[in-house]
Amino acid sequence: MQSADRIRGLRIGLFVSEWGGRFGGNISVGILADILSKAGASVTVLTQAKYTPAEDAEGGIEVLNLENSSRGKGFVQLWRRTLKLLASQDFLIVVGERPRLVFLLAQLWRPLVFVRLDTILTCPAGTRFLPNSSTICHRRVGLSCLAVNRKQGCLRDSSEYRQVLKVMNRRLDMALIRCFKNFAANSSACLKRHCRGGEVFYPPCPNPQLRYRLPPSRDIIFVGRVSASKGVLDAIRIFKRSKAAQVLHIVGDGPELATAERFAASQGVLDRVVFHGWISVQDRDKLLDKCAATLMCSKWDEAFGRIGPESFALGTPVVAYDVGGVSEWCRSPAGTLVSCGDIEGAAQAVDRLLLNEAEWSAASEASYKTSERFSKRIYGERWLKYIEKILNK
């Protein structure tokens, strides 16, 4: 990877929120820090998430980990270090944070990129998921959300005062986001949800592990938070409807785990559904490699859906609901898109893969090639060019 000349010696501050998926989220931020370090920049990371720099990082990475900084001394410590970092850096990248006033002011005297990896700030409930109808909400945040809540219960047990407060906070977030000069997201769908233009950086995934092989089994897998919005019950429904799938592996944990177990029992498939809980990335990849297909049944606005390209890197095809940014990587023949909630269509897609060896092999080979679009090299090169472009303005 060619490092940009203007980046060498640059002091870059990375602000990273505590938000991040079990296998995604801040993982891409850690990769970005390593890329900038290898390009010769001096990187300082201010984070409430666990982050350990790579051993081969060249420019040096300083990590300032903060704990429990939402109130009291932790809050004071966060702001003190934030102001200190703002004053000492040449370039700032803010990932996953709310659009705080301090960041808006900072861009007046320092180049700053504000990055969102999800659509949480576009919805007062944070999920864009309508519990009662089990569908995605496409409404823009506003007072009409209160009427939707009365029918759907998406704001749960919040008092009317807190419901209004949540809506107004999200309206403020959206207004402030439009004030950033440089905005980036992990998909075009994420940009669209935030109602503005910007740069797209698809999250980097592991290098393809080329193993052109026959279908390893008739097992299928679901990876993610075990919740209604992630569609875990739909994964069980698809598995039951499938004529070919033998075992469903569910990797993850969450508030609906007990419900999912009871539902599997009620459907008569509990003996063929394996609940693994959260496991290491290495063990997860072994399961992905073993399974013939990955199910993505999200019923909320997935900004990207990182597990899809990670499955592709192992040669495992994906059957997914067409939500959020999933369509930006899930394309035939590597992936099959079906409408959100289309149980029958998803089950038929699984059966086509499992019952047709030639079709599965073509999908697996295409999966490897598709995953190359999301390499660390491409991710790094695009970031370096983007930073240099901003510096040249």
Side-chain angles (χ1 to χ4, degrees):
M1 185 189 306
Q2 296 293 325
S3 62
D5 291 338
R6 293 204 59 182
I7 294 176
R8 185 169 298 280
L10 199 68
R11 296 172 300 174
I12 299 180
L14 267 171
F15 293 81
V16 187
S17 75
E18 60 184 337
W19 179 257
R22 177 75 179 190
F23 298 114
N26 292 323
I27 290 177
S28 58
V29 179
I31 293 173
L32 174 59
D34 294 336
I35 287 169
L36 295 174
S37 175
K38 290 175 182 177
S42 176
V43 181
T44 302
V45 181
L46 180 65
T47 178
Q48 297 178 59
K50 291 182 179 179
Y51 168 65
T52 303
E55 294 180 359
D56 59 347
E58 296 175 1
I61 300 176
E62 180 184 6
V63 181
L64 304 176
N65 283 303
L66 299 174
E67 296 181 2
N68 192 27
S69 26
S70 59
R71 57 181 65 179
K73 292 182 179 179
F75 180 81
V76 174
Q77 180 194 35
L78 171 64
W79 281 95
R80 185 178 298 159
R81 289 195 173 183
T82 298
L83 293 173
K84 182 179 179 181
L85 192 56
L86 285 172
S88 63
Q89 304 302 302
D90 303 315
F91 196 99
L92 304 167
I93 302 175
V94 181
V95 184
E97 288 277 2
R98 291 186 64 186
R100 304 178 192 278
L101 183 61
V102 67
F103 298 135
L104 286 169
L105 294 176
Q107 69 179 349
L108 298 178
W109 73 88
R110 293 284 190 276
L112 183 146
V113 182
F114 192 81
V115 186
R116 290 302 305 174
L117 303 177
D118 54 50
T119 58
I120 288 173
L121 298 185
T122 69
C123 170
T127 62
R128 305 197 70 86
F129 174 66
L130 302 175
N132 292 342
S133 58
S134 193
T135 56
I136 295 174
C137 179
H138 297 286
R139 189 181 301 270
R140 288 190 180 184
V141 61
L143 292 177
S144 61
C145 294
L146 300 176
V148 173
N149 174 64
R150 284 193 287 271
K151 295 180 180 179
Q152 296 291 334
C154 38
L155 295 178
R156 293 176 285 279
D157 299 326
S158 301
S159 65
E160 289 188 4
Y161 167 75
R162 288 197 59 81
Q163 290 173 18
V164 173
L165 191 61
K166 286 181 178 180
V167 171
M168 299 312 295
N169 279 337
R170 289 300 182 244
R171 288 283 294 179
L172 177 61
D173 287 338
M174 293 293 287
L176 292 177
I177 280 174
R178 296 189 186 98
C179 297
F180 284 103
K181 298 177 184 177
N182 306 301
F183 184 77
N186 57 352
S187 70
S188 298
C190 191
L191 286 181
K192 184 178 179 180
R193 279 299 183 202
H194 288 92
C195 304
R196 63 160 300 164
E199 198 76 12
V200 173
F201 295 99
Y202 292 124
C205 296
N207 294 326
Q209 301 180 31
L210 299 175
R211 291 187 296 278
Y212 295 102
R213 59 203 188 336
L214 297 176
S217 69
R218 287 192 174 182
D219 293 5
I220 58 177
I221 186 170
F222 169 94
V223 180
R225 181 174 167 81
V226 181
S227 65
S229 61
K230 284 289 187 178
V232 65
L233 299 187
D234 274 21
I236 296 172
R237 292 187 181 100
I238 292 166
F239 172 64
K240 182 186 178 182
R241 193 72 59 90
S242 169
K243 300 174 182 177
Q246 294 177 345
V247 177
L248 170 63
H249 298 272
I250 295 180
V251 176
D253 203 344
E256 300 294 324
L257 180 59
T259 301
E261 291 174 339
R262 289 194 299 269
F263 183 74
S266 71
Q267 298 296 302
V269 296
L270 183 59
D271 59 330
R272 295 190 294 131
V273 178
V274 183
F275 292 88
H276 295 270
W278 287 123
I279 57 180
S280 68
V281 175
Q282 292 74 21
D283 289 339
R284 179 208 63 175
D285 286 351
K286 289 178 182 177
L287 274 176
L288 285 171
D289 187 49
K290 170 187 174 183
C291 293
T294 298
L295 292 179
M296 280 195 64
C297 315
S298 290
K299 293 187 169 184
W300 75 317
D301 251 358
E302 288 283 357
F304 181 72
R306 184 190 179 98
I307 190 61
E310 288 183 335
S311 297
F312 285 166
L314 293 163
T316 303
V318 176
V319 176
Y321 284 171
D322 187 1
V323 298
V326 172
S327 63
E328 295 177 42
W329 56 260
C330 188
R331 299 172 182 172
S332 179
T336 302
L337 280 176
V338 300
S339 299
C340 184
D342 186 359
I343 305 296
E344 186 63 35
Q348 290 176 3
V350 169
D351 287 345
R352 283 196 300 271
L353 287 170
L354 272 59
L355 296 175
N356 189 324
E357 184 178 299
E359 184 166 339
W360 187 91
S361 296
S364 179
E365 182 175 348
S367 297
Y368 291 123
K369 294 178 180 178
T370 302
S371 71
E372 292 173 353
R373 293 175 49 211
F374 309 103
S375 69
K376 293 181 182 179
R377 178 186 60 80
I378 294 175
Y379 180 74
E381 288 177 351
R382 294 197 69 246
W383 259 110
L384 295 179
K385 289 179 180 178
Y386 182 57
I387 291 173
E388 191 168 28
K389 175 183 174 183
I390 292 173
L391 293 173
N392 287 333
K393 286 183 180 179

